[in-house]
Amino acid sequence: EIFRNLKMLKKLDLSYNLIEFLETKSFFNKSNIEFLNLEKNRIKNLNTLLFLYIEKLNTIKLEENNIIE
């Protein structure tokens, strides 16, 4: 995992990365993330379990993705 040793990470900007899919445990052990920017990627689906591990998340940006409801 890329962010394995960043346990105190509070802001994460992954915008403009052509991300299509996020693993359910992508943010496992990252409970301090408060701001997550996933704008302008190619995300189609978001599993709600993905957010189970980011307890302090208060802002998420998802604009300009391909999310299907």
Side-chain angles (χ1 to χ4, degrees), residues 27-53:
F27 302 111
F28 179 74
N29 207 14
K30 303 295 168 284
S31 61
N32 287 312
I33 293 177
E34 297 173 0
F35 176 87
L36 177 60
N37 188 351
L38 295 168
E39 287 181 299
K40 301 187 181 177
N41 282 291
R42 294 182 178 173
I43 300 170
K44 293 180 184 172
N45 296 309
L46 282 176
N47 186 328
T48 54
L49 294 176
L50 178 72
F51 305 109
L52 180 65
Y53 304 105

Side-chain angles (χ1 to χ4, degrees), residues 5-21:
N5 296 318
L6 301 174
K7 294 181 178 160
M8 298 307 292
L9 184 68
K10 291 189 179 220
K11 294 183 179 181
L12 182 58
D13 187 339
L14 297 173
S15 58
Y16 296 93
N17 279 290
L18 303 177
I19 296 170
E20 293 184 11
F21 178 79

